Amino acid sequence: RGIDALVFDIQDVGVRFYTYETTMAYGLEAAAKAGIPYYVLDRPNPITGVRVEGPMLDAANTSFVGYWAGEPVRHGMTMGELARLFNGENHIGANLTVIEVEDWHRGDWFDSTNLPWINPSPNIRSLKAASLYPGLCLLEWSKISMGRGTDSPFEQIGADFIGGRELATYLNKRQIPGVRVYPTSFTPTESNFKGVRIEGVRFEIVNRESLDATRLGMELAGAIQKLYPGKVDWTAGRRLIGSADVIRRLQAGDDPRAIQESFEDAVSAFVALREKYLLYR
């Protein structure tokens, strides 16, 4: 009551399960219901607006970490573009205005904007972490440490059942584009395995243009399923992974490349759908 307009001005990281976009969407719904204008002060997608990567979100798995069914993990859109898509495809009907970013192009990474890096949340501390996040966070629901409570969250993972050298060797043999994997060990000061020395792997991006972060996430999941069977209950990750078919394939031990190929048509359909909502070229 008594509010003239709602304004959304928050930096996200370009990933479906980063909850800022759901907060934006809920605000959009509330503004429509109240009959007041909604403004999105747009910001760059820090990991570019070029790459789009599945898996896609099933309607049955929508939640606060996945607002719109049919959205891929890495959507390649800005928050303003997403607001336009949500408003149109969900038939919200809000009085939406997007204040566009100047001089940003779809292929721009955040470090080409000359803007200072300010952590969008406490554990996304660098562009490197943001680039790996779409893949590594696919497993965050599990008991595996994502490096929270270390100096490098979302740049390394570990668990008490993982052998660092074994896992690194396996993943490097998979020849995952754009990344190399190295064994490591660390003691988290918070979250999973707090105060426990664990082994794991760290990820070094060697070519960010060719890195498919969610392919990395699928490869990591496949490696854990093969090397440490029974240690992870994949069904518990349905809201972050988003796809029941992908979970079924992981449980069955399917090759991650085949899993990725299974949702490529859906990714292409999303790319075509989003075209009318894009603001930048």
Side-chain angles (χ1 to χ4, degrees), residues 40-218:
V40 174
L41 309 188
D42 213 2
R43 295 179 181 230
N45 185 324
I47 57 174
T48 82
V50 175
R51 291 197 71 103
V52 178
E53 302 167 8
M56 318 303 287
L57 180 65
D58 294 342
N61 292 327
T62 55
S63 71
F64 192 52
V65 289
Y67 171 76
W68 182 68
E71 184 182 348
V73 168
R74 185 173 174 180
H75 47 70
M77 301 177 76
T78 66
M79 293 295 261
E81 292 173 334
L82 270 180
R84 284 160 51 87
L85 184 147
F86 292 158
N87 201 34
E89 296 302 314
N90 256 12
H91 308 290
I92 296 172
N95 178 8
L96 170 66
T97 301
V98 177
I99 308 301
E100 297 181 27
V101 172
E102 294 182 354
D103 301 322
W104 184 77
H105 305 281
R106 304 211 74 79
D108 292 347
W109 294 83
F110 192 83
D111 55 10
S112 68
T113 65
N114 293 319
L115 295 170
W117 179 270
I118 299 172
N119 297 343
S121 57
N123 286 289
I124 304 291
R125 302 178 188 172
S126 66
L127 182 55
K128 176 185 174 184
S131 301
L132 292 166
Y133 178 78
L136 299 193
C137 192
L138 286 171
L139 281 76
E140 189 178 14
W141 49 271
S142 70
K143 294 181 179 179
I144 297 170
S145 169
M146 295 290 116
R148 290 179 182 269
T150 74
D151 292 336
S152 305
F154 293 105
E155 297 180 22
Q156 58 185 350
I157 64 99
D160 59 359
F161 60 83
I162 288 175
R165 290 185 180 277
E166 177 184 43
L167 182 56
T169 298
Y170 182 89
L171 288 170
N172 284 325
K173 285 181 178 178
R174 295 289 300 171
Q175 298 183 318
I176 306 166
V179 68
R180 289 288 294 174
V181 187
Y182 298 90
T184 191
S185 61
F186 54 90
T187 306
T189 59
E190 62 179 76
S191 192
N192 295 340
F193 301 108
K194 178 180 179 180
V196 178
R197 191 75 174 175
I198 54 175
E199 289 190 24
V201 294
R202 62 182 174 88
F203 303 92
E204 294 297 334
I205 300 173
V206 296
N207 185 337
R208 66 185 182 181
E209 301 296 345
S210 64
L211 173 66
D212 185 326
T214 60
R215 159 78 186 280
L216 173 61
M218 293 291 101

